[in-house]
C-alpha cells in the first residue's frame, strides 16, 4: 500500500479566490507530467458568476456572532438567531431581491447565491431568514401589487414586521390545492372572513409563528358569491406588538424539533378573522367591491400553478444550500481521512492513512463526484431562475421549465446532503460523532430539507407528469403513419433489447477484453446514451401502460396511475441525474487548465459510472449492457478511485471553506500533528533501542 499522505497537500486554510471571470482557455500540461489541480482557479469556477456575493456572504458567515453555538437552551438559541437576522438587515444581505423602489437591488440570482452560503454559519439562521424574506416577503412581492409593495415591504425588509408564511396545514402539506382554510368575502363590509373550520385545517410548522411573527401571508380558499375560486394569499396581522394574539387568532408552539431549533415553528388557527378586501394579494386574482371575481388567467389550474411558481425560489435555494452542506461535510471527512492513520497493513512500523484504503475511497470519493455534479447543475439552475425572475425569459414555457428543474434537482441534492453527512460522520469514527466536529449537527439541521418546500417524492412525481406530457405532445398532432412507425420502432427495440441481441453483440465486439469494454464506456457519448436511453425507455414504458387511462372512469384511471407511481418517480429521478451529468460535462469546457480538466474528467466519469453501477440491474435486464461490460463498470470505478485519490484534498479545498466556516477540530490539521507526534515517538524508541520487544518475535518459528 502506498502512503499518499506525504504527496498530497493538506491545507488547513482553503483558498480565497479573487473574483474574476473564469478563464475559458485551458493550458496544456507538460507531456508525461501527472495532472495537477489548480485549486484557486477551480475554486473560482465553483463560485460561479455570483462569486463576489458568495465571498461576501462567506465573510459575513465567518463572524463568530453569526455562527451557531451548540448546547444553548431552546429560548436562547431562538433569541440568538433572531438577533442575527438584525445583523443581516444591517449588512444589506437580505434586500437584493426586492424592488429598487423600496430600497432593494432587484438581483434575484445574487440574492439566492448569498443566501445559500449562510448554511455555513447556521442552518437555523439561513432558514429563518428564508422564512422572513424568501417566503413571507417574497409572497408579498410576487403575489401582491404596487399597493402591497409600498405598504408592507419596507417593514418586512427592515424586520420591523417579522412574519410567517402560512401555507401548510396539519392535514395538508404538499397538496396545497386542498388546504381547508377559507377566506369568504363579505360585500357589506368589503372584508374577507378567514376561518379554519376544523383542527386539520390549522396552519402548521410555520417559521416565525411560534413566537416572533406579528403578521402572516395566509393561503386560503377564496370564496365569493358562493363560488370557490381556489387558493389565494392574504396579508393578515396575527399578533400585538407585546406578543399577544389578535382577536380570533390562536396558536401553539411546535416546541423542540429534530433540528433547526433556532426557528420558532408554530401553529395558527383563525375564527372569523376579518381582513380588508385590499389585503388580498391580487396580482393573479382580484375581487371587486361587489364581490365579482376577475383574473388574468382563465384556467383555475394554471392560475394556481402560476401563483405557486412565483415562489419557486425556496426550492432553488435549498438545492444550493444542500450542496454547500455536502461540501462542508466532505471537507471535514476527506481532510481527516488524509491524516488519520490506522493499521500497519503495508509496513511493520507505520500505520496507513485511512483514505488510502480502497473501501474508504469507495465511501467518500463517489460522494465527492456527486457533489461536484450537483454544484455545476445548480449554477445552471440558478441562471435559469435569474433569467425567469428578471424577465429575460418570462414566457409560460420558461416558468414551467424552471418549476420542473426545481422539482427535479431539489430532491437529489437534499437526499445527497443527508447521505453525505451520514457517511462522512461514520467515516470519521467516534470523532465524527462529537458535536464539536459539526457533522451530526449539520445532518440534524438539514434533515427537514427533504420534506419542506415540497416533499421530495411528490416533487419527483411532478417531474414525471411533465415528462409524460412532453412525451405525449410528440404525438399530439402526429398522423397515423408517424404513430405507426413509432410503434413499430418501439416494438423492434423491445425485441432487440429483450432478446439480448444487443448484449451478445457487445460481447462479440469486446472479444473478451475488459479494456475494450472500458474504452467504450469511457466515451462521453456512451455515458450520455446509457443515461438518456434509460430515461426515454422508462417514460415510454409508463406512457404505454397509461395509454388507456383517458378511457377509464376517474377511480379506475387513478388506480392505473397509482400502479405506475413508483416507476414514474424512478424515471423522474433518472431524468434529474441526467441533468446533473450534462451540467458536469458542460463544465469541463470551463476548466482553467489541462491538468484540472483531466482530474475533473475522471471525477465526471466516476459520477457517470456510479449512476450506471447503481442501476446496473436495469441495464442488464433490458439488454443495454452485456455482463462483461457490466463487470467493467465496477472495475473502472476502482481504477478511477486510485487516480482521483492523490487529488482528493485539493478537490475539497477548492470548495473554498476555510477553518472559520468549517469549524471542525478534526479538519484543522490537529490530527496530522497528533499522528506526527506518535510516529516520532515510536521512531525515537526504535532508534535508541528502548522499544520493548514484541512477544511475537520471541516465539520460535514453526518448521
Amino acid at each position: 500500500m502506498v502512503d499518499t499522505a506525504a504527496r498530497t497537500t493538506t491545507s488547513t486554510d482553503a483558498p480565497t479566490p479573487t473574483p474574476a471571470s473564469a478563464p475559458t482557455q485551458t493550458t496544456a500540461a507538460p507531456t508525461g507530467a501527472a495532472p495537477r489541480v489548480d485549486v484557486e482557479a477551480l475554486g473560482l469556477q465553483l463560485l460561479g458568476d455570483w462569486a463576489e456575493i458568495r465571498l461576501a456572504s462567506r465573510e459575513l458567515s465567518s463572524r463568530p456572532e453569526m455562527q451557531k453555538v451548540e448546547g444553548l437552551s431552546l429560548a436562547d438559541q431562538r433569541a440568538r438567531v433572531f438577533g442575527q437576522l438584525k445583523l443581516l438587515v444591517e449588512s444589506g444581505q437580505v434586500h437584493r431581491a426586492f424592488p429598487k423602489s423600496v430600497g432593494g437591488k432587484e438581483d434575484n440570482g445574487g440574492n439566492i447565491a448569498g443566501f445559500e452560503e449562510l448554511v455555513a454559519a447556521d442552518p437555523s439562521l439561513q432558514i429563518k431568514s428564508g422564512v422572513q424574506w424568501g417566503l413571507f416577503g417574497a409572497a408579498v412581492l410576487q403575489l401582491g401589487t404596487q399597493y402591497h409593495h409600498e405598504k408592507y415591504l419596507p417593514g418586512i425588509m427592515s424586520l420591523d414586521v417579522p412574519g410567517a408564511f402560512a401555507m401548510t396545514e396539519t392535514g395538508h402539506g404538499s397538496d396545497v390545492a386542498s388546504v381547508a382554510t377559507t377566506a369568504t368575502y363579505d360585500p357589506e363590509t368589503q372584508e374577507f372572513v378567514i376561518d379554519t373550520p376544523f383542527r386539520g385545517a390549522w396552519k402548521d410548522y410555520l417559521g416565525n409563528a411560534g413566537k416572533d411573527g406579528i403578521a402572516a401571508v395566509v393561503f386560503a380558499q377564496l370564496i365569493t358569491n358562493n363560488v370557490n375560486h381556489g387558493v389565494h394569499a392574504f396579508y393578515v396581522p396575527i399578533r400585538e406588538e407585546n406578543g399577544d394574539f389578535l382577536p380570533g387568532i390562536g396558536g401553539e408552539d411546535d416546541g423542540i424539533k429534530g433540528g433547526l431549533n433556532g426557528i420558532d415553528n408554530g401553529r395558527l388557527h383563525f375564527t372569523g378573522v376579518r381582513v380588508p378586501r385590499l389585503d388580498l394579494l391580487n396580482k393573479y386574482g382580484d375581487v371587486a367591491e361587489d364581490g365579482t371575481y376577475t383574473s388574468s388567467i382563465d384556467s383555475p389550474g394554471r392560475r394556481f400553478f402560476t401563483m405557486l411558481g412565483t415562489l419557486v425560489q425556496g426550492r432553488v435555494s435549498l438545492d444550493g444550500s444542500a450542496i454547500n452542506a455536502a461540501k462542508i461535510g466532505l471537507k471535514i471527512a476527506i481532510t481527516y481521512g488524509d491524516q488519520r492513520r490506522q493499521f500497519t497493513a503495508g509496513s511493520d512500523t507505520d500505520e496507513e492513512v485511512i483514505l488510502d484504503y480502497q473501501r474508504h475511497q469507495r465511501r467518500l470519493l463517489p460522494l465527492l463526484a456527486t457533489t461536484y455534479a450537483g454544484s455545476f447543475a445548480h449554477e445552471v439552475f440558478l441562471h435559469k431562475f435569474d433569467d425567469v425572475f428578471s424577465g429575460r425569459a418570462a414566457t409560460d414555457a420558461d416558468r414551467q421549465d424552471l418549476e420542473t428543474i426545481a422539482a427535479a434537482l431539489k430532491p437529489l441534492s437534499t437526499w445527497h446532503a443527508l447521505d453525505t453527512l451520514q457517511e462522512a460522520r461514520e467515516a470519521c469514527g467516534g470523532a465524527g460523532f462529537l458535536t464539536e466536529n459539526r457533522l451530526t449537527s449539520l445532518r440534524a439541521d438539514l434533515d427537514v430539507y427533504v420534506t419542506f418546500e415540497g416533499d421530495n417524492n411528490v416533487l419527483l412525481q411532478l417531474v414525471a407528469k411533465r415528462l409524460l406530457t412532453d412525451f405525449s405532445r410528440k404525438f399530439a398532432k402526429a398522423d397515423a403513419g408517424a404513430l405507426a412507425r413509432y410503434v413499430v420502432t418501439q416494438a423492434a427495440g423491445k425485441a432487440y433489447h429483450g432478446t439480448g441481441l444487443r448484449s451478445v453483440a457487445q460481447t462479440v465486439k469486446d472479444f473478451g477484453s475488459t479494456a475494450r469494454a472500458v474504452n467504450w464506456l469511457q466515451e462521453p457519448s456512451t455515458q450520455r446514451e446509457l443515461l438518456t436511453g434509460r430515461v426515454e425507455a422508462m417514460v415510454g414504458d409508463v406512457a404505454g401502460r397509461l395509454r388507456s387511462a383517458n378511457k377509464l372512469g376517474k377511480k379506475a384511471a387513478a388506480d392505473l396511475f397509482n400502479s405506475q407511481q413508483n416507476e414514474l418517480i424512478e424515471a423522474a429521478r433518472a431524468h434529474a441525474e441526467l441533468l446533473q451529468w450534462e451540467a458536469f460535462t458542460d463544465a469541463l469546457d470551463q476548466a482553467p487548465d489541462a491538468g484540472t480538466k483531466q482530474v475533473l474528467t475522471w471525477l465526471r466519469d466516476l459520477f457517470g459510472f456510479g449512476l450506471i453501477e447503481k442501476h446496473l440491474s436495469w441495464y442488464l435486464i433490458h439488454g443495454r449492457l452485456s455482463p462483461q461490460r457490466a463487470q467493467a463498470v465496477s472495475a473502472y470505478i476502482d481504477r478511477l478511485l486510485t487516480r482521483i485519490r492523490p487529488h482528493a484534498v485539493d478537490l475539497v479545498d477548492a470548495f473554498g471553506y476555510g477553518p472559520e466556516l468549517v469549524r471542525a477540530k478534526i479538519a484543522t490539521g490537529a490530527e496530522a500533528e497528533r499522528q506526527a507526534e506518535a510516529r516520532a515517538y515510536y521512531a525515537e524508541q526504535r532508534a535508541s533501542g528502548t522499544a520493548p520487544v514484541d512477544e511475537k518475535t520471541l516465539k520460535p518459528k514453526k518448521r
Side-chain angles (χ1 to χ4, degrees):
M1 183 172 290
V2 178
D3 179 7
T4 56
R7 57 186 172 86
T8 54
T9 303
T10 303
S11 172
T12 58
D13 288 287
T16 304
T18 302
S21 298
T24 57
Q25 298 295 322
T26 58
T27 304
T31 304
R36 185 187 67 83
V37 173
D38 186 329
V39 175
E40 184 172 348
L42 177 57
L44 185 57
Q45 182 181 359
L46 289 169
L47 284 169
D49 285 346
W50 288 275
E52 291 186 10
I53 290 174
R54 288 191 183 279
L55 290 172
S57 185
R58 291 183 186 186
E59 183 178 358
L60 182 65
S61 297
S62 69
R63 291 164 53 180
E65 64 269 26
M66 299 299 293
Q67 296 173 348
K68 182 177 183 178
V69 175
E70 301 288 354
L72 294 179
S73 67
L74 182 65
D76 287 345
Q77 190 174 351
R78 288 178 172 182
R80 179 177 177 83
V81 171
F82 188 74
Q84 290 168 338
L85 292 190
K86 297 177 181 177
L87 297 177
L88 290 180
V89 173
E90 292 175 7
S91 70
Q93 169 84 11
V94 293
H95 296 161
R96 291 193 183 95
F98 291 103
K100 293 179 180 178
S101 61
V102 292
K105 297 181 179 179
E106 299 180 8
D107 180 2
N108 294 286
N111 177 63
I112 296 295
F115 170 80
E116 291 164 356
E117 298 297 339
L118 294 176
V119 74
D122 183 353
S124 284
L125 166 62
Q126 182 195 45
I127 298 305
K128 191 170 174 75
S129 70
V131 168
Q132 175 66 18
W133 296 291
L135 291 176
F136 175 54
V140 174
L141 171 62
Q142 300 295 341
L143 301 179
T145 56
Q146 191 65 29
Y147 165 79
H148 304 104
H149 297 171
E150 294 175 357
K151 184 175 182 180
Y152 294 122
L153 286 183
I156 294 171
M157 293 168 65
S158 67
L159 199 61
D160 288 341
V161 182
F165 183 77
M167 176 184 282
T168 300
E169 296 179 356
T170 304
H172 284 96
S174 296
D175 185 7
V176 178
S178 298
V179 297
T181 300
T182 59
T184 306
Y185 184 65
D186 180 355
E188 292 187 4
T189 62
Q190 295 187 31
E191 293 173 317
F192 287 96
V193 184
I194 299 179
D195 287 289
T196 46
F198 46 80
R199 178 60 182 82
W202 284 22
K203 297 299 181 180
D204 211 342
Y205 320 116
L206 315 177
N208 279 345
K211 176 180 177 291
D212 295 328
I214 64 174
V217 169
V218 178
F219 288 78
Q221 305 286 349
L222 189 159
I223 300 170
T224 181
N225 294 328
N226 205 35
V227 176
N228 185 348
H229 292 280
V231 177
H232 289 64
F234 302 81
Y235 185 94
V236 183
I238 61 173
R239 281 189 176 92
E240 303 279 6
E241 289 189 5
N242 65 4
D244 293 339
F245 281 118
L246 292 168
I249 299 174
E252 299 173 350
D253 195 307
D254 280 332
I256 297 176
K257 308 181 293 293
L260 296 178
N261 280 302
I263 306 170
D264 55 324
N265 293 90
R267 308 178 181 99
L268 297 173
H269 57 85
F270 306 87
T271 304
V273 176
R274 291 179 172 267
V275 296
R277 178 181 66 90
L278 294 179
D279 281 349
L280 163 66
L281 301 179
N282 61 341
K283 182 175 182 179
Y284 297 105
D286 199 9
V287 173
E289 292 182 4
D290 64 355
T292 302
Y293 180 84
T294 57
S295 174
S296 59
I297 305 174
D298 291 334
S299 166
R302 190 64 236 153
R303 184 190 313 137
F304 170 73
F305 283 109
T306 299
M307 284 192 282
L308 289 193
T310 61
L311 304 172
V312 73
Q313 64 183 11
R315 292 170 188 169
V316 181
S317 61
L318 288 180
D319 178 56
S321 303
I323 293 297
N324 288 346
K327 289 176 179 178
I328 292 171
L330 288 169
K331 168 71 175 178
I332 295 169
I334 288 177
T335 300
Y336 183 68
D338 189 58
Q339 299 172 6
R340 174 72 173 180
R341 293 177 177 273
Q342 287 281 272
F343 307 112
T344 53
S347 168
D348 291 332
T349 57
D350 282 341
E351 294 176 299
E352 307 296 340
V353 173
I354 60 174
L355 195 55
D356 282 346
Y357 289 106
Q358 185 191 62
R359 181 59 183 168
H360 213 74
Q361 296 167 12
R362 263 277 186 172
R363 297 171 72 181
L364 295 178
L365 297 188
L367 294 173
L368 179 62
T370 303
T371 301
Y372 265 80
S375 183
F376 289 132
H378 179 69
E379 181 71 8
V380 176
F381 180 20
L382 190 54
H383 275 278
K384 180 71 173 178
F385 166 79
D386 190 58
D387 287 343
V388 169
F389 273 66
S390 69
R392 290 189 296 273
T395 68
D396 192 51
D398 289 321
R399 288 189 173 274
Q400 288 186 48
D401 286 346
L402 176 63
E403 293 164 18
T404 304
I405 296 171
L409 293 182
K410 181 262 182 180
L412 262 62
S413 59
T414 52
W415 274 328
H416 170 68
L418 293 189
D419 291 344
T420 300
L421 291 169
Q422 181 62 27
E423 196 64 56
R425 204 295 294 159
E426 294 181 32
C428 293
F433 195 60
L434 298 179
T435 300
E436 70 178 18
N437 290 317
R438 288 195 76 192
L439 293 169
T440 55
S441 178
L442 265 178
R443 195 196 182 285
D445 283 338
L446 263 76
D447 200 338
V448 76
Y449 282 40
V450 302
T451 49
F452 67 32
E453 296 299 316
D455 177 275
N456 283 355
N457 286 285
V458 175
L459 291 179
L460 288 177
Q461 187 165 296
L462 294 176
V463 176
K465 288 181 178 179
R466 173 67 186 275
L467 294 174
L468 285 174
T469 300
D470 288 348
F471 182 87
S472 65
R473 281 175 179 167
K474 291 181 181 179
F475 308 104
K477 298 181 180 179
D479 58 27
L483 191 57
R485 285 192 296 274
Y486 171 75
V487 171
V488 170
T489 304
Q490 279 287 91
K494 287 183 178 179
Y496 180 56
H497 296 308
T499 59
L501 292 175
R502 181 185 180 119
S503 301
V504 171
Q506 289 177 9
T507 302
V508 171
K509 183 178 180 181
D510 294 333
F511 290 105
S513 169
T514 302
R516 287 193 181 94
V518 167
N519 288 340
W520 179 75
L521 287 163
Q522 275 182 273
E523 291 296 323
S525 58
T526 301
Q527 294 177 39
R528 181 180 284 109
E529 177 190 351
L530 289 171
L531 297 175
T532 303
R534 182 166 181 265
V535 176
E536 291 177 344
M538 294 175 79
V539 174
D541 286 347
V542 173
R545 298 187 197 111
L546 295 178
R547 191 170 291 130
S548 63
N550 59 357
K551 301 177 182 178
L552 302 175
K554 187 173 183 179
K555 178 65 166 63
D559 288 343
L560 177 59
F561 188 87
N562 188 53
S563 72
Q564 301 300 309
Q565 186 180 49
N566 188 64
E567 291 301 312
L568 280 168
I569 289 173
E570 286 303 309
R573 188 164 186 161
H575 170 70
E577 290 168 344
L578 175 61
L579 292 179
Q580 291 182 327
W581 184 91
E582 291 282 7
F584 202 152
T585 301
D586 290 343
L588 296 178
D589 292 333
Q590 302 301 316
D593 60 83
T596 303
K597 183 175 183 178
Q598 176 62 78
V599 175
L600 287 179
T601 300
W602 290 335
L603 204 63
R604 190 281 314 274
D605 286 349
L606 179 58
F607 175 64
F609 274 67
L611 293 177
I612 296 166
E613 184 183 55
K614 182 169 67 172
H615 305 302
L616 209 51
S617 60
W618 187 93
Y619 288 106
L620 287 167
I621 290 169
H622 290 79
R624 302 302 175 95
L625 285 177
S626 68
Q628 182 154 353
R629 288 189 175 178
Q631 288 179 333
V633 170
S634 296
Y636 190 59
I637 285 176
D638 292 337
R639 191 186 306 175
L640 285 169
L641 295 175
T642 302
R643 290 176 175 175
I644 294 168
R645 162 62 185 106
H647 309 284
V649 173
D650 284 344
L651 289 168
V652 294
D653 282 352
F655 293 150
Y657 291 108
E660 71 286 350
L661 292 171
V662 174
R663 303 195 309 282
K665 290 187 177 180
I666 56 173
T668 62
E671 182 62 26
E673 293 176 6
R674 286 192 292 268
Q675 294 293 337
E677 179 186 24
R679 296 173 85 191
Y681 172 80
Y682 288 119
E684 193 278 329
Q685 274 195 334
R686 292 192 298 271
S688 65
T690 59
V693 177
D694 192 328
E695 178 188 358
K696 291 185 290 187
T697 65
L698 300 177
K699 294 180 179 180
K701 295 181 180 179
K702 294 181 180 181
R703 296 185 178 180

